[in-house]
Amino acid sequence: MERIFPLRGIVATLAGAGMLGSASVQAQQDDANVVVVSGQRQAAQSAQAIKQNAEQVVDSIVAEDIGKFPDKNVAELLGRITGVQTVRENGEAGRIVIRGLGGVTTLFNGREMFTAAGRSLNLTDVPVSMLQRVDVYKSQGAEMVEGGTSGVIDVRTFRPLDFKGSQTAVNLRGEHRDKAGKTDPQVGGLWSNRWKTGIGEIGLLGGLSWQRGRYHDETAWAGQPVTYTNPAGVQGADGNGRVMTTGDRKRIAANLSAQWRPNRDMEFYAEGFSTRIDVDSQNVFFVGGFPINNPNSTVTTVTSGGRQYLDTISNPSDTSLVLSSTQARRDWSRGSQGAIGGTWDMTPTLRLSSEYVRTVSTYRQENPILDSIYTAPHPVTGGTRDGGGFVDYPGVNLIDPSKWTMIALYDNHNHANGSANDWRGDIAWSPEDMGILKELSGGLRWAQRDASYAHELGNYRPATITGLAPSSIPGLSCVSPAIHGNYGVSQFYAGCMDFLLDNTGAVRQAILGTTAGLPDDPLSYYTDRETTNAIYGKAKIAFDAFGIPVDGSAGVRVVRTRQNIVGNSRAGTGPVTPVAVSGSNTDVLPSMNLRAKFRQDLVGRLVYGKAIERAAFGDYNPGVVLGSVTATNANDPTGTGGNPNLKPQEARNLDLALEWYFSKDGSLTGTAFKHDFKNFLRHRQATEVIDGQRYLVDRPYNTDTAKLYGFEAAYQQFFPSLPGWLGGLGVQVNATYMNGGMTEPDGSRNTFPGMSKTAYNLVGMYERGPWSARVAYSWRDEFVDTYNYRGLGFDLIVEPIKTLDASVSYKFTDTLVVTLDGSNLLNQAYHDYHGVPELPRDVRRYDRVVGLALRWKY
């Protein structure tokens, strides 16, 4: 045993690096080798050790202490990692791309995890108070769950045997959001203990988190560009407006973990995680149409690049559309995952492990939308100001609800469900002679995933009782939140979100004459049972090449995926017809990881692997909705649908890295990467013959090839040798350059939507005595959000995004720490435009957040 597994500490390091499966991590640790991370410098050391010892290309963020991460949620954490970018919206960071692309899969303690009918876990569902670390894999090994052509995010929580003995921690936090004008609490707690008993060592851990966040996002938008005829040739918006987004999010999460180690060779565990999220929110839209091409309108222009663009437009008596729309949402989400498993070292050279996982997730949304219009003639002025669209109505009282008329109710709802059963078994054998071959391992995985979705039938319901003002319904009349900035109209009448959500039937009765809601649309419905069977084999090797030690692994994963999908179809006004389709696909995923130790502190890597990304479940929907065939229309009728014959997207990924670890917490690393994609998923229209009739059908296809290449570099160092208080300084810097693109259906090539070619993070750290501080600045280059936006012939381009966050902590005692932090300190605006800056689209601003946290542990 001592020869084959010489040091428990080595195994603990491999476990921290993610090189051992979740079933085997804890079986090889004992009290003497548990690492308790505290402080920025030790957290940096742990993350660096994970990267240095990992087989794959991986970057990590490790907790500085229990419940202490440098950001508030997982998505914001990831924005600090090399090659990862995030977008903040709805009060927190949400959307994530790795090396400029989506296609990211999420794991929870190494297991597949998801939200409702989605492929991945919504990372904002997991509170940071529970986290031990987050690993971002840029490459995958044969033993890892397949999925994610651009990367894998593995969220890791604490377990009881991570600690030397009993551990109790409480995190209290209050945060203030400036635009929402609210201060909200966040509470988290963890308790853990371990005992030596007559049947072995037992550990128990429980964690609980409750958060509330009331947020305010705001947008001043400019309408789609049109070409004016008066004056001729001027390009400008056909109207401007506002979107005021507010919400009240309540999130509660709990996790449990139990470990039983009857002897040195066996361990069994059970874990559970559950989250509940309730959000009441609204988007309040204001639409102000412009009197374009009206002879009574006055238009001024600016000239750029030889073209004239709208500067201002005004009219003393206009009757263009003025609309207020309250889009209320009540979101209800529940998710849980339970796992049981164990490991057994049958002999000094043979290890077995097995795990069973059950996951259930449910999502519901009610989304009534009330539209009202202002009908009286009014003076108007509008145009472009401060890089965005402004519109104003001098002398007009837009707050008075009696001046507005309710015209329609969009009666939306949707619901999605997801569940999965997942089993895996693994075996690993280490030969006794310890030659070139160090380990052979393999395993099986069976998973069955069910997903379903449906939304409302015919959501648009025009008012049948006309001429009603909102003031005719007590409790329905509110005023929109105020917008910041010089964009004209600041506030206006808006239907009350709470009344719309709590009394939807009363609103229906008032303007439709009925309290009845809408049934599900059978054409939106689908169910999908996806069954995957996977087998993998992997060999770990080590040898000398020209005097240079080389180690690594080579493996292959073979996955067979079977879809059983049910949907509904309809042609014209004909009956709804059920459609059931089955199909299967087999993917062979080879991988190779080689690491050369040129010196003890200088490591080179060559990593190659093939990865797949399955389409969204809704894309497989076999249902097709076809338009009516009429003899008077010379064009082919249209249709929409899913595509049950979709293949997974494929990526062949190559990484070449050189890493210099000049101290325990100091490193300089660089990675060149190249990804070749096949079967890219895109929506397009194509002519199809169905029952002898030609249709122009819009559906997803495997159409495109794509390439991505680039380079990422990172530098980290602390400076303890500096004199005096300067010895507490440290710095982290990383930068990424990306290029490449996809082939469009017309044969042209574009860069990937959402990909910034360059991005970087600058982080300054300080830790000395009881004080610690951190300042983090992130920058990403402009990128194309959407090509040919809405078919207008313009690309929607997003300007560079810059964020600044900071925190400072003071440790009163070893058990009590207070932290003051702030995010979005620059009050950075998200700004996009239609092709050229003179044709703006949105100026979006988000809350600036200041938080005060108290952490106590014992």
Side-chain angles (χ1 to χ4, degrees), residues 522-665:
L523 296 175
S524 72
Y525 170 79
Y526 71 81
T527 63
D528 188 346
R529 168 161 285 185
E530 180 179 270
T531 304
T532 59
N533 295 280
I535 184 171
Y536 81 88
K538 178 179 174 180
K540 293 184 179 181
I541 56 175
F543 56 92
D544 284 353
F546 307 103
I548 299 174
V550 177
D551 62 13
S553 67
V556 63
R557 188 178 187 88
V558 180
V559 186
R560 180 173 175 82
T561 307
R562 181 173 181 83
Q563 306 277 357
N564 292 282
I565 322 156
V566 177
N568 293 299
S569 291
R570 185 176 67 191
T573 58
V576 174
T577 305
V579 183
V581 176
S582 296
S584 62
N585 188 73
T586 300
D587 295 282
V588 179
L589 310 176
S591 61
M592 180 186 71
N593 308 277
L594 293 178
R595 178 177 58 176
K597 297 181 179 179
F598 300 111
R599 298 193 314 244
Q600 190 65 28
D601 63 345
L602 187 63
V603 175
R605 297 182 191 272
L606 175 64
V607 179
Y608 171 80
K610 179 182 175 183
I612 60 170
E613 176 191 351
R614 300 182 181 97
F617 285 104
D619 287 343
Y620 291 109
N621 188 348
V624 181
V625 182
L626 301 174
S628 298
V629 179
T630 60
T632 58
N633 189 351
N635 297 321
D636 291 337
T638 60
T640 59
N643 186 349
N645 300 313
L646 291 173
K647 298 177 181 179
Q649 291 183 171
E650 298 179 4
R652 289 169 172 81
N653 304 330
L654 178 66
D655 290 79
L656 185 62
L658 186 63
E659 302 165 0
W660 179 30
Y661 299 97
F662 50 82
S663 69
K664 288 185 178 181
D665 48 31

Side-chain angles (χ1 to χ4, degrees), residues 298-310:
T298 300
V299 176
T300 65
T301 65
V302 294
T303 302
S304 177
R307 300 210 60 167
Q308 286 189 306
Y309 298 99
L310 175 67

Side-chain angles (χ1 to χ4, degrees), residues 784-805:
V784 177
D785 180 275
T786 308
Y787 286 97
N788 191 21
Y789 179 65
R790 295 184 176 177
L792 300 173
F794 299 95
D795 297 336
L796 187 62
I797 301 172
V798 181
E799 289 188 344
I801 297 175
K802 297 158 278 190
T803 59
L804 180 68
D805 302 333

Side-chain angles (χ1 to χ4, degrees), residues 54-65:
E55 287 185 8
Q56 293 84 27
V57 178
V58 62
D59 289 286
S60 301
I61 295 183
V62 178
E64 298 175 27
D65 207 336

